[in-house]
Amino acid sequence: MENKMYEIFFTDCEGKLTVLKEPQDGCWINMLDPTAEEIDLISGLVHAERDFITAALDEEERPRIESEDDCTLVLTDIPVVESTAESSYNFMYSTMPMGIVVCKECVITVCLKKTQLIKDFLDNRVKTFATFKKNRFLLQLMYRNATYYLQYLRQIDKISNNIENDLHKSMKNKELILLLSLEKSLVYFSTSLKSNEIVLEKMLKYNYENISIRKYPDDEDLLEDVIIENKQAIEMANIYSNILSGTMDAFASIISNNLNIVMKLLASITIVMAIPTIISGFFGMNVGIPLENMRGAFYIICGGTALTCGIVAWILYKKKMF
């Protein structure tokens, strides 16, 4: 059986999501990294712009909204969690584009990888979800996307707090590298959220083909909720980014200071340990030296050496070298 990279869904009268073999009016086509042949097939079946479908397959595409030939493309950035073996937390955060093509007959979603966002709709976790309500479906996708940004931002904040606790008892670069990775994720989130905000504002101000937000008051309220959630995510990303940046600078200084303390301690120990070496070297010469004929000279020399080391150690301690 051929493994297709797209699926066609339709919500029946009972609200149950069913799988179709062919597109029909009011359906939802979910495409996951489709091939060129599959793109041409779907584009021909539902009369969708081919460039709109392929837009989300470029990881460098920025969020935007545009209409052409009875189709509207809403390209948005979505947050993703990627597994990695490079850190003890085994995952990192980033963003990638997702295309939502609203046609006369259907809605098409296109993405490069599987995402939890789409899975929520496939598992019927979204209330009042219907494939034939194209405006509502589009806004529900955008709202769910904003909530995932907020959820991942809270996770990033929690992870950064745990790393900070580890940094209090560590002098290695591992924790700082993890914080740098989180800071990079926050930069991705902040940039994508600001771009998504522009798309949402355009949807609120202008009318696009097959997207009539003002036609239904509930849809307009939902769009305003999406904008509010997106703004909240932007503020959280900026706050966490500033906190993380300051934390990294502070702990970099702490690690450097801890290293200086260790070096100072080692230098003090070296000074104290050098005293017995110097004295033993002096009394080990094969020439006439003091106390060479005195009984118990060895113990006198050892005692004097220990006393000298003690005095030097006390002086260094007073100078806070230990």
Side-chain angles (χ1 to χ4, degrees):
M1 182 178 177
E2 184 181 359
N3 185 21
K4 297 188 296 184
M5 303 308 293
Y6 69 90
E7 292 179 296
I8 306 172
F9 302 97
F10 182 79
T11 307
D12 58 22
C13 56
E14 297 179 356
K16 183 179 178 181
L17 197 65
T18 58
V19 181
L20 304 178
K21 292 184 177 180
E22 296 292 334
Q24 70 177 48
D25 190 24
C27 70
W28 165 33
I29 303 175
N30 180 41
M31 307 184 75
L32 179 66
D33 194 15
T35 63
E37 292 77 12
E38 290 172 337
I39 294 173
D40 291 335
L41 174 64
I42 296 299
S43 177
L45 288 174
V46 299
H47 309 291
E49 283 291 317
R50 190 181 190 281
D51 292 341
F52 285 2
I53 298 177
T54 59
L57 303 180
D58 183 3
E59 293 185 354
E60 303 301 322
E61 281 284 351
R62 304 307 307 153
R64 67 179 188 274
I65 181 170
E66 58 179 285
S67 292
E68 187 175 340
D69 296 338
D70 296 330
C71 280
T72 299
L73 167 67
V74 178
L75 192 65
T76 184
D77 276 346
I78 62 175
V80 292
V81 183
E82 299 177 350
S83 60
T84 175
E86 297 177 0
S87 70
S88 57
Y89 292 96
N90 298 323
F91 54 85
M92 64 176 294
Y93 299 88
S94 62
T95 62
M96 69 177 179
M98 181 182 74
I100 307 170
V101 184
V102 184
C103 307
K104 277 188 175 181
E105 302 175 4
C106 64
V107 175
I108 305 172
T109 56
V110 189
C111 207
L112 279 170
K113 302 175 184 177
K114 289 182 179 180
T115 64
Q116 188 62 42
L117 173 64
I118 296 297
K119 191 173 185 299
D120 286 349
F121 286 87
L122 296 177
D123 295 342
N124 285 322
R125 294 180 183 175
V126 181
K127 296 180 180 179
T128 68
F129 160 58
T131 58
F132 53 85
K133 296 180 180 179
K134 293 182 288 186
N135 285 349
R136 177 60 61 88
F137 182 26
L138 168 64
L139 295 176
Q140 286 173 327
L141 282 167
M142 302 294 283
Y143 185 83
R144 200 75 174 181
N145 187 39
T147 57
Y148 268 112
Y149 271 109
L150 291 170
Q151 176 182 331
Y152 292 156
L153 284 168
R154 294 188 187 98
Q155 291 178 7
I156 289 175
D157 182 51
K158 185 176 180 180
I159 293 171
S160 65
N161 289 334
N162 293 334
I163 296 174
E164 286 178 28
N165 293 332
D166 294 338
L167 271 171
H168 283 289
K169 44 191 175 181
S170 172
M171 290 184 296
K172 297 180 180 179
N173 293 329
K174 180 182 178 181
E175 287 77 14
L176 281 178
I177 293 173
L178 289 175
L179 286 178
L180 180 62
S181 176
L182 292 180
E183 188 176 34
K184 188 192 300 182
S185 299
L186 288 173
V187 172
Y188 289 150
F189 278 18
S190 181
T191 303
S192 297
L193 284 166
K194 290 175 182 176
S195 300
N196 288 349
E197 183 182 32
I198 296 174
V199 173
L200 293 170
E201 294 290 350
K202 286 184 177 180
M203 289 174 60
L204 185 63
K205 291 180 181 178
Y206 307 107
N207 288 323
Y208 293 91
E209 197 70 39
N210 304 315
I211 300 179
S212 303
I213 302 299
R214 294 185 181 88
K215 187 176 180 180
Y216 303 101
D218 290 344
D219 289 349
E220 190 170 358
D221 292 340
L222 180 56
L223 177 56
E224 291 176 353
D225 291 341
V226 177
I227 293 174
I228 292 172
E229 290 287 305
N230 195 80
K231 287 182 180 295
Q232 183 180 352
I234 292 174
E235 292 176 0
M236 287 179 62
N238 291 334
I239 291 171
Y240 292 160
S241 182
N242 292 335
I243 293 174
L244 205 56
S245 179
T247 301
M248 287 185 63
D249 293 340
F251 276 105
S253 300
I254 291 173
I255 290 175
S256 177
N257 187 55
N258 289 342
L259 182 60
N260 290 336
I261 292 172
V262 171
M263 295 302 295
K264 184 170 65 173
L265 177 62
L266 291 175
S268 301
I269 294 174
T270 302
I271 293 172
V272 175
M273 295 297 293
I275 295 173
T277 304
I278 295 172
I279 294 176
S280 62
F282 175 75
F283 280 95
M285 294 185 295
N286 295 323
V287 295
I289 55 175
L291 307 178
E292 62 180 335
N293 297 319
M294 182 179 292
R295 190 175 181 180
F298 174 77
Y299 299 105
I300 295 174
I301 294 170
C302 288
T305 302
L307 180 61
T308 305
C309 290
I311 294 172
V312 172
W314 182 79
I315 294 172
L316 293 174
Y317 174 77
K318 283 294 185 178
K319 292 183 175 294
K320 297 183 180 179
M321 293 292 289
F322 279 108

